[in-house]
Amino acid sequence: MESKTDFNFGIPVERRNTASMKWDRYKGRDIIPLWVADMDFCSPPAVIDALHQRIAHGVFGYTTPPESLNTVVVERLQADYGWAVQPQWLVWLPGLVTGLNVACRAVGRDNDDVMTAVPIYPPFLTAPANSRRRIIKVPLQEKDNRWKFDFDRLESAITSRTRLFLLCNPHNPVGRVFTRDELTALAAICEKHDIIICSDEIHCGLLLGDDNIHLPTATLGPEVAQRTITLMSPSKTFNLPGLGCAFAVICDEKLRRQFIKATSGIVPLVNALGFAAAEAAYRDCADWHAQLLEYLCGNREMVVRAIADMPPLTMALPEATYLAWIDVRSAGLTNPVRFFEDAGVGLQDGIEFDGPGFVRLNFGCPGPLLEQALERMKSAMGTLTHF
Ligand SMILES: Cc1ncc(COP(=O)(O)O)c(C=O)c1O
């Protein structure tokens, strides 16, 4: 167990020359990378210790999910959500994107339809076609600076071949934590039309502020649980995405068999280090996690204030994640990402999320770096003479 330590999220960690996807995009250029969703923080000390211990053993053969890890996950799901999960419902995966693709492959047939709400994390958009499914995209609506499902539009877009809904909750990129009412309404539509729900909950450990409560879709009730594939991972919360360790929770035996069958021959086992890190993350990192959330709330505040000071840019308050979805439509920029890169800040283009006119900013980094990036953005906005 960790003692009360200050984890110092404000101290920068040099990530240049570490083959970091995030930092290498702008190698040799003075551009602060605030794009892909990993954080510039070290993982919790308890995770690093567990990795050292596993490495010290020195043998890295094929590894099965440790029973102790299954136990920790089951205990966490019970403690965090009152969700009674059986260990045999867990299917370990090398990543959540794998899980999204496997779900598309496992449910329905060629040319069936898979529905999702946009904007959305880009692999949601490509997974259906990878499995010869067609995608139906329904826009989320922004009302009073809050993103919501448009249930009428969603239901009317369902076809007789719609078999699967890809849900992201908490939502990347808009940062919503959907409420019980919203999830219940969505689940009711899926039940009515016999649609399986694949619920990507990778950001569920990143709730910002006490008002937000994560409800796993499968906990809405037994009927919903039967038609739900839940995808989770310690990778976002504990900053482990490079270790490739995730899991699906599927209580329905038939659906679980279909899912496992669809992994056959193409999905590798999770690696030994991923398992070791996941177990320590879920078991021993409560203090680190609490301090991280506090730190991210501070960074969110900094972003919200800075964007309010950059008219005409606007953003809705992210309820979870370390991602800000910024509306740049009124700024008259032909290429917003290029504009901010020229100013020394690397953001992600909303077009990739089916959200043109927006940019996504990752605020999972030390405050001073974030501050510098926001100052650069503000100066660049100041050069636009028409505001
Ligand atoms: C909603 C969502 N799902 C999945 C992933 C990626 O998961 P993985 O790295 O486990 O494939 C991300 C990463 O940003 C994400 O935001």
Side-chain angles (χ1 to χ4, degrees):
M1 286 297 284
E2 284 164 351
S3 56
K4 270 276 170 209
T5 322
D6 181 355
F7 294 106
N8 281 323
F9 293 104
I11 294 177
V13 181
E14 180 57 82
R15 297 189 68 194
R16 291 183 192 92
N17 301 314
T18 62
S20 151
M21 180 192 274
K22 188 183 192 183
W23 283 79
D24 274 8
R25 172 175 275 194
Y26 300 115
K27 210 171 188 165
R29 298 162 73 191
D30 180 21
I31 297 177
I32 299 170
L34 302 183
W35 65 289
V36 72
D38 69 27
M39 300 187 284
D40 292 328
F41 307 131
C42 283
S43 289
V47 166
I48 297 169
D49 286 350
L51 289 170
H52 278 305
Q53 276 182 36
R54 183 62 191 82
I55 284 169
H57 180 255
V59 181
F60 306 107
Y62 296 120
T63 310
T64 53
E67 219 177 287
S68 48
L69 173 58
N70 282 337
T71 303
V72 164
V73 168
V74 165
E75 285 172 2
R76 276 251 68 83
L77 296 173
Q78 179 67 51
D80 291 349
Y81 311 116
W83 186 11
V85 164
Q86 311 271 338
Q88 66 269 24
W89 298 354
L90 305 178
V91 182
W92 288 91
L93 298 163
L96 247 81
V97 171
T98 302
L100 292 168
N101 279 275
V102 170
C104 287
R105 209 175 257 250
V107 177
R109 301 210 171 99
D110 285 7
N111 298 316
D112 278 347
D113 295 331
V114 176
M115 180 173 271
T116 197
V118 293
I120 192 69
Y121 175 62
F124 280 61
L125 301 171
T126 50
N130 289 344
S131 296
R132 296 177 297 278
R133 285 10 175 201
R134 297 177 309 188
I135 188 164
I136 299 175
K137 297 181 283 190
V138 183
L140 291 168
Q141 346 171 257
E142 193 185 6
K143 255 195 199 159
D144 305 325
N145 220 18
R146 199 150 187 251
W147 292 88
K148 295 192 173 158
F149 289 112
D150 180 342
F151 290 115
D152 291 339
R153 196 158 168 187
L154 198 144
E155 186 162 15
S156 62
I158 290 171
T159 65
S160 59
R161 300 207 65 159
T162 308
R163 305 275 179 262
L164 179 66
F165 189 91
L166 297 180
L167 168 65
C168 189
N169 181 42
H171 191 277
N172 172 7
V174 305
R176 278 297 318 283
V177 177
F178 294 113
T179 61
R180 181 180 291 279
D181 284 352
E182 288 172 303
L183 292 173
T184 303
L186 180 69
I189 292 173
C190 290
E191 263 185 85
K192 183 170 156 196
H193 297 274
D194 196 17
I195 293 169
I196 299 291
I197 303 168
C198 177
S199 186
D200 176 333
E201 302 181 14
I202 196 170
H203 294 281
C204 65
L206 293 169
L207 304 185
L208 305 177
D210 297 338
D211 298 343
N212 300 308
I213 294 166
H214 176 70
L215 272 173
T217 306
T219 62
L220 291 176
E223 312 264 293
V224 184
Q226 291 300 313
R227 62 175 62 254
T228 300
I229 298 166
T230 306
L231 299 176
M232 288 183 164
S233 166
S235 69
K236 293 291 151 188
T237 311
F238 301 98
N239 209 27
L240 313 166
L243 290 178
C245 184
F247 61 93
V249 187
I250 311 171
C251 72
D252 183 72
E253 199 185 332
K254 182 163 167 253
L255 185 57
R256 190 166 64 248
R257 263 193 273 116
Q258 270 170 249
F259 186 90
I260 292 170
K261 192 171 164 216
T263 67
S264 174
I266 52 166
V267 177
L269 296 170
V270 174
N271 71 86
L273 298 182
F275 282 139
E279 187 170 334
Y282 283 131
R283 197 187 49 218
D284 298 328
C285 300
D287 287 351
W288 185 94
H289 184 202
Q291 281 185 41
L292 170 77
L293 295 181
E294 217 174 289
Y295 198 82
L296 290 178
C297 280
N299 279 3
R300 174 181 68 166
E301 189 56 37
M302 208 189 299
V303 174
V304 167
R305 256 192 276 122
I307 296 300
D309 205 23
M310 291 182 216
L313 306 192
T314 58
M315 61 179 275
L317 186 75
E319 297 164 343
T321 79
Y322 42 79
L323 307 166
W325 184 240
I326 302 168
D327 187 345
V328 299
R329 284 174 298 185
S330 307
L333 303 169
T334 42
N335 185 337
V337 168
R338 176 71 56 80
F339 174 79
F340 288 113
E341 281 174 354
D342 288 345
V345 182
L347 304 177
Q348 205 148 352
D349 199 329
I351 290 172
E352 295 173 41
F353 300 76
D354 219 303
F358 287 76
V359 288
R360 195 189 71 172
L361 180 152
N362 173 347
F363 56 84
C365 65
L369 188 72
L370 181 62
E371 203 172 351
Q372 195 185 0
L374 293 168
E375 273 164 17
R376 289 179 178 188
M377 288 173 67
K378 185 166 167 20
S379 303
M381 290 303 295
T383 65
L384 299 176
T385 48
H386 47 290
F387 298 108

